């Protein structure tokens, strides 16, 4: 079995690490990095920490408009796929890298496996929603993290190749939790366990809408709790362009951190305030109350179980929930699988016979 794995953005490195480890025991993996993320703190650190093999191809596409970035990836990936003739092309999540990988493969009639298939926000304003819907409709193997994801695909008429495998981020967490526990980032930051709110903010639906960004930054500037914010470069850039600044002395703004430090910050946080997809899930798994600055979420199970609350970009709600949101995790059912999802994905790739499909 020969698989070309296409990654390019931070969360994809984290998701691909456990699968890559299993895959290389069973077959050949050719790893392609599109270069969508390229700063050391957004890319290199994950390869080092998670011991991800060096990419066989690096397309170095970098930051561009959606069309230019996706198009350049498509053209670079096509050359790689023609050269490598894999049995499968494996893509993760919902970024421009995901769509480019799936589309390049589909045009060459190569089978696509999509990890995190079937997620929906039902908000077509989000670039991620377009990417994931299109990818699901051209994939042959659709690895769904949850039952809800399977149902979404069924309602779009997609039944063939759909398997509920669980969530690979549980595997990543299982593998790295102990190592993360030993980090000393809190000491470095002079922060105390359970006495701070961990904040992340980067989604285009917030950063690319001046009103929303202004409202969120204003909430962060007024909150009374100590906070730690590893700041995504997109947000830094947008704030500069809009002339927004952080003025709250209780808010520690730091560079993006590696996965182990991030898990350490998450597992010791009193609460998490975020607009990230992956961070909402990690909050659930690590039993930290989560306040999500979005109007909808793909991870509806967390909201249904009342471990996560959606506050949009509403300053009053952000402040109210950061101060008052409490969760009883004793009542929560696990919904993201058993942490052996990577094995299951690789088994399916082996069984399905790739090109013969
Ligand atoms: C992308 C994904 C988003 C995902 C996020 C994970 C798309 C459409 N969006 O968003 O779904 O949640 O990754 O983090 O694919 N930048 C740097 N250095 C880097 C990377 C980015 O400075 O290493 C800056 C650039 O100014 C760039 C901006 O961040 O223009 C946005 O980067 P981009 O990859 O286009 O989107 P993300 O916001 O990272
Ligand atoms: N993450 C990290 N360092 C950070 C911020 C996030 O390692 O400074 C990890 C986080 O723990 C999660 C993943 O990155 O595993 C989520 O990625 P991100 O929030 O960038 O994207 P999304 O999940 O929203 O697509």
């Amino acid at each position: 079995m020969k698989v070309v794995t296409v990654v390019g953005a931070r969360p994809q490195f984290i998701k691909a690490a456990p699968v890559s480890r299993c895959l290389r025991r069973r077959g050949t993996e050719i790893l392609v990095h599109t270069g969508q993320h390229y700063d050391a703190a957004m890319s290199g650190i994950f390869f080092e920490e998670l011991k991800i093999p060096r990419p066989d191809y690096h397309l170095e596409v970098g930051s561009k408009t959606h069309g230019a970035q996706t198009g350049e990836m498509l053209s670079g990936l096509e050359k790689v796929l023609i050269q490598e003739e894999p049995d499968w092309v494996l893509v993760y999540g919902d970024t421009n890298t995901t769509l480019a990988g799936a589309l390049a493969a589909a045009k060459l009639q190569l089978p696509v496996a999509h990890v995190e298939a079937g997620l929906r926000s039902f908000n077509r304003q989000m670039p991620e929603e377009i990417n994931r819907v299109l990818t699901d409709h051209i994939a042959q193997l659709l690895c769904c993290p949850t039952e809800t994801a399977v149902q979404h695909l069924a309602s779009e008429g997609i039944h063939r190749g759909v398997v509920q495998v669980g969530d690979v981020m549980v595997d990543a967490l299982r593998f790295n939790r102990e190592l993360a526990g030993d980090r000393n980032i809190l000491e470095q930051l002079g922060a105390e366990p359970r006495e701070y709110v961990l904040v992340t903010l980067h989604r285009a639906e917030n950063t690319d809408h001046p009103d929303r960004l202004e409202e969120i930054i204003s909430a962060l500037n007024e909150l009374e709790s100590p906070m730690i914010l590893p700041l995504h470069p997109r947000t830094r850039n947008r704030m500069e362009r809009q002339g927004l600044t952080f003025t709250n002395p209780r808010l520690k703004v730091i560079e993006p951190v590696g996965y182990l430090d991030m898990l350490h910050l998450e597992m010791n946080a009193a609460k998490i305030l975020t607009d990230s997809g992956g961070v909402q899930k990690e909050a659930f798994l690590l039993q930290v109350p989560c306040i999500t600055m979005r109007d909808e979420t793909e991870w509806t199970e967390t909201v249904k179980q009342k471990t996560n609350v959606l506050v949009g970009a509403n300053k009053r709600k952000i402040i109210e929930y950061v101060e008052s949101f409490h969760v009883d995790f004793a009542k929560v059912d696990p919904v993201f699988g058993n942490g052996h999802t990577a094995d299951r994905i690789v088994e399916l790739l082996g069984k399905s016979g790739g090109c013969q499909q």
Side-chain angles (χ1 to χ4, degrees), residues 7-18 36-37 42 46 50 92-95 116 168-169 172 202-203 232 259 276-279 281-282:
V7 292
R10 172 166 72 186
Q12 292 164 340
F13 310 137
I14 294 163
K15 290 166 199 167
Q36 178 169 350
H37 288 174
M42 296 295 291
F46 297 96
L50 303 177
Y92 292 86
D94 52 21
T95 71
E116 271 196 2
V168 278
M169 287 186 74
H202 76 280
R203 285 300 183 104
H232 192 291
Y259 183 56
S276 157
V279 174
K281 233 174 346 179
E282 285 164 350

Side-chain angles (χ1 to χ4, degrees), residues 45 59 118 125 165 188 235 237 245 250 253 281 310 330 347:
I45 189 166
L59 305 182
Q125 301 292 314
V165 294
Q188 285 170 25
T235 315
N237 293 344
T245 49
R250 294 173 295 278
V253 180
K281 233 174 346 179
L310 300 177
E347 195 185 308

Side-chain angles (χ1 to χ4, degrees), residues 200-217:
T200 82
L201 170 66
H202 76 280
R203 285 300 183 104
E205 67 204 275
N206 287 326
T207 57
D208 292 13
H209 292 90
D211 295 352
R212 291 179 72 97
L213 185 60
E214 193 176 341
E215 181 130 353
I216 291 171
I217 302 304

Side-chain angles (χ1 to χ4, degrees), residues 38 42 44 61 65 97 99 108 114 159 172 193 213 227 240 251 258 268 293 301 304 308 314 318 327 340 346:
Y38 43 86
M42 296 295 291
V61 169
T65 58
T97 291
L99 178 60
L108 293 169
H114 184 203
H159 302 277
L213 185 60
M227 288 167 281
E240 268 168 28
L251 172 64
N268 287 294
M293 296 180 283
E301 297 82 0
K304 279 196 193 112
N308 185 10
N314 180 315
I318 294 172
V327 177
H340 294 277
V346 172

Side-chain angles (χ1 to χ4, degrees), residues 11-71:
Q12 292 164 340
F13 310 137
I14 294 163
K15 290 166 199 167
V19 181
S20 173
R21 228 178 354 258
C22 292
L23 195 50
R24 285 168 193 246
R25 276 190 232 121
R26 295 270 302 266
T28 305
E29 181 184 46
I30 304 294
L31 187 61
V32 186
H33 189 326
T34 61
Q36 178 169 350
H37 288 174
Y38 43 86
D39 289 348
M42 296 295 291
S43 172
I45 189 166
F46 297 96
F47 282 79
E48 284 156 35
E49 276 189 351
L50 303 177
K51 306 203 167 31
I52 305 169
R54 201 182 181 59
D56 298 280
Y57 296 87
H58 201 308
L59 305 182
E60 294 180 359
V61 169
S63 302
K64 308 245 157 46
T65 58
H66 284 281
Q69 187 180 56
T70 312

